[in-house]
Structure formats: C-alpha cells, structure tokens
Amino acid sequence: MQTVNSNTNGFVSPIDIAMGECFQYRGEIWMKAAPAGFIENSRVMAKVIERGDCFAVNLRTGSFTAWRQDALVAPMKVLLDIKS
C-alpha cells in the first residue's frame, strides 16, 4: 500500500469525504465505509446515522468505528498494489 498525501485543503470533517475514500488521523489511515445492511437494525447504529456521523475502517487493524461529524481529519489517496 502506498499513500499519496494530496491534502491541499487542510483538515475536513469525515462526512465531507466520499464513501470508499481515505483519510488520516493521528498517523492511522482510515477508509470511510458503510455497515452491512443487517447491522443497521442495531439501535446504536441507528443513533449514529441519525446524528449525521459516519463510519470508517482502520486499514492497518481492520477496526470498524463511528466518526463524529465534528472531527477533523486529513483526506488522502491510498494506492494499493494488488500483486503483493
């Protein structure tokens, strides 16, 4: 995986990042993602969606978490080498 820092806009909210795009926060790279359909039936997940927050996956650890819409993150591009 190769990262390309294309952050010319400074920090933005995670909700301003398109689904499937990546961002960096405290040295970790995250990808904005959507939960599987059946998970959305969860009360906790519904509250996150109602607040306007979003979800992301840590590309190093695989952790899936909710991100507050008022967080500040650095958008970035990630290039994957599928041969390795």
Side-chain angles (χ1 to χ4, degrees):
M1 175 172 67
Q2 176 185 6
T3 60
V4 178
N5 190 355
S6 61
N7 183 13
T8 58
N9 300 329
F11 294 101
V12 299
S13 167
I15 61 171
D16 295 327
I17 296 174
M19 194 66 64
E21 294 294 324
C22 297
F23 59 89
Q24 187 172 21
Y25 181 78
R26 293 187 180 175
E28 293 286 341
I29 300 171
W30 298 81
M31 178 184 288
K32 188 170 176 180
F38 70 92
I39 293 176
E40 291 178 7
N41 294 333
S42 161
R43 194 76 179 120
V44 173
M45 296 293 184
K47 286 185 178 186
V48 170
I49 294 167
E50 286 173 13
R51 282 193 310 258
D53 297 342
C54 68
F55 298 98
V57 174
N58 183 310
L59 293 184
R60 184 179 61 81
T61 65
S63 299
F64 180 76
T65 191
W67 280 84
R68 292 172 42 136
Q69 63 181 328
D70 61 352
L72 293 176
V73 300
M76 66 184 321
K77 297 286 181 197
V78 174
L79 306 174
L80 298 175
D81 180 10
I82 58 172
K83 295 179 183 175
S84 59

